[in-house]
Amino acid sequence: MQTILGANGQIGEELARELKKKYTSDIRIVSRKAQNVNDTDTVFSADLTIKEKAIEAVKGSEIAYFTLGLPMDTDLWEKQFVLILGNVIEACKINKTKLVFFDNTYMYPQDGRVLAEETAFEPVGRKGKIRKEMAEMVLSEIKSGQLEAVICRAPEFYGPAKTQSITNTLIFNAIKENKKLKVPLSDTKKRSLIWTPDASRATALIGNTPDAFGQTWHLPVDESHLNYKEFIALASKIYGRELKYKVIPKFVFAIGAFFNKKLKELQELLPRYGQANVFDDSKFRKRFPDFTVTSYKEGIKQIKNEFL
């Protein structure tokens, strides 16, 4: 059996579909209010801050995927994320279950360096420090040999359905609502966005590749690394109309943070929008040359068609 912890978000749902399609029908869906994705899934509702529930959630699983997310609330992250991961690690060790840890890039520097698997962790802000601690917990277990685990790391999302990201909010939701698009800080810096279904497909592939364990993998992105100016120009062609946008300077976000909690939470992520943010996925591409990465053109077309 393969178990998805945090299965009812965009990544978890796509992962469940991919596992069912290519690897197994024996899938357990775990979340606070678990709902099946495939008709053959079993469901288990659990609060993973409780160690006993984590142990029960993982019991009988060959592989557990940690795709759990929390609302963008730093206090909540500090209170729960490390606790939950610690419980899941312990549960996997007790049940002799392999762990696939789905990770983000918050622990990386935000200074324009190309980000590769070996890039040193230099977090900016409290959320980055939490994600650094979580990644190091998994790496420590791998190094000790007490847990068979792998880290699948993804940059900023864009995608269909439930996908939540700054790009989805400021670009695609604005298109849907006929509002002017917004770009944070700069429209000329190269960026790497991952198509969320690709992130899930690649995670399923790594989880079912035994020799991929014991290391970190950057998940694949469109190789063009378009800046927002180029990305919106491409979207304009696909939507068949000029999509107008404005670049929001840093001081506007700083003022807004006094009145809006979401903007306050965004502050520590802003530096990456003022610099190039290029994610090196060459290790994955070399190891899995047959994996088809969804191009920006195809991804934007799918989002457009979703709203027709």
Side-chain angles (χ1 to χ4, degrees):
M1 179 167 61
Q2 301 196 19
T3 293
I4 305 173
L5 307 169
N8 292 126
Q10 179 67 19
I11 295 297
E13 284 193 3
E14 294 283 356
L15 177 59
R17 293 189 187 97
E18 182 70 6
L19 291 176
K20 166 76 174 179
K21 182 179 176 183
K22 290 190 175 176
Y23 304 102
T24 180
S25 293
D26 193 3
I27 299 168
R28 178 185 291 158
I29 300 292
V30 178
S31 69
R32 282 181 180 269
K33 296 179 181 178
Q35 296 181 326
N36 66 312
V37 177
N38 308 296
D39 55 8
T40 52
D41 296 340
T42 58
V43 297
F44 184 80
S45 295
D47 177 356
L48 298 179
T49 64
I50 301 169
K51 183 182 292 185
E52 290 75 15
K53 290 293 184 183
I55 294 170
E56 195 175 349
V58 172
K59 187 176 181 180
S61 305
E62 176 192 359
I63 303 170
Y65 298 84
F66 187 102
T67 63
L68 187 145
L70 291 175
M72 193 62 80
D73 180 330
T74 303
D75 292 337
L76 183 66
W77 282 32
E78 290 179 335
K79 184 179 178 182
Q80 291 194 357
F81 245 152
V82 171
L83 171 64
I84 291 171
L85 180 58
N87 288 343
V88 168
I89 287 173
E90 190 64 21
C92 287
K93 291 163 73 173
I94 290 171
N95 288 292
K96 301 187 185 310
T97 299
K98 296 196 288 188
L99 176 64
V100 179
F101 180 64
F102 187 85
D103 202 4
N104 66 23
T105 59
Y106 286 20
M107 77 295 293
Y108 280 146
Q110 302 184 41
D111 57 6
R113 269 178 273 181
V114 174
L115 303 175
E117 285 88 347
E118 62 272 17
T119 299
F121 297 163
E122 296 178 21
V124 177
R126 292 162 61 193
K127 286 187 283 294
K129 289 178 181 176
I130 295 164
R131 295 303 306 201
K132 173 179 181 286
E133 184 176 353
M134 293 171 71
E136 289 179 341
M137 288 168 68
V138 177
L139 291 171
S140 176
E141 294 292 341
I142 291 173
K143 187 176 180 180
S144 72
Q146 295 186 49
L147 176 68
E148 193 169 2
V150 62
I151 295 177
C152 298
R153 184 165 292 142
E156 183 181 340
F157 297 161
Y158 85 108
K162 292 182 178 179
T163 299
Q164 296 184 33
S165 72
I166 291 172
T167 297
N168 263 56
T169 299
L170 299 182
I171 305 294
F172 295 109
N173 290 355
I175 295 172
K176 181 183 175 184
E177 296 165 4
N178 287 317
K179 295 181 177 177
K180 195 167 189 175
L181 283 55
K182 297 174 183 173
V183 170
L185 273 60
S186 172
D187 63 346
T188 60
K189 306 297 184 184
K190 286 187 175 295
R191 310 207 57 74
S192 300
L193 304 173
I194 191 166
W195 178 245
T196 44
D198 282 2
S200 298
R201 289 195 300 119
T203 298
L205 174 59
I206 288 172
N208 287 276
T209 304
D211 67 6
F213 279 74
Q215 53 195 304
T216 298
W217 295 88
H218 276 190
L219 302 181
V221 298
D222 184 304
E223 285 185 296
S224 61
H225 305 291
L226 298 182
N227 60 40
Y228 272 125
K229 183 177 182 180
E230 295 165 332
F231 188 82
I232 292 171
L234 177 60
S236 294
K237 287 184 180 177
I238 292 168
Y239 278 82
R241 57 189 170 94
E242 183 185 3
L243 298 170
K244 296 184 177 179
Y245 68 94
K246 60 182 175 182
V247 177
I248 309 299
K250 188 175 181 180
F251 79 91
V252 173
F253 285 100
I255 294 172
F258 286 106
F259 310 102
N260 184 306
K261 190 172 189 302
K262 287 184 178 178
L263 291 180
K264 183 178 179 181
E265 293 287 347
L266 182 61
Q267 292 300 302
E268 72 175 79
L269 301 178
L270 283 178
R272 68 176 61 187
Y273 293 95
Q275 306 282 345
N277 190 253
V278 175
F279 189 74
D280 180 2
D281 63 359
S282 56
K283 176 182 172 182
F284 181 95
R285 288 177 179 272
K286 184 177 180 180
R287 175 63 180 80
F288 302 104
D290 295 329
F291 187 94
T292 302
V293 179
T294 302
S295 67
Y296 282 144
K297 183 178 180 181
E298 180 58 33
I300 294 170
K301 279 184 179 177
Q302 288 190 40
I303 293 173
K304 174 177 179 266
N305 292 337
E306 191 175 40
F307 295 127
L308 291 179

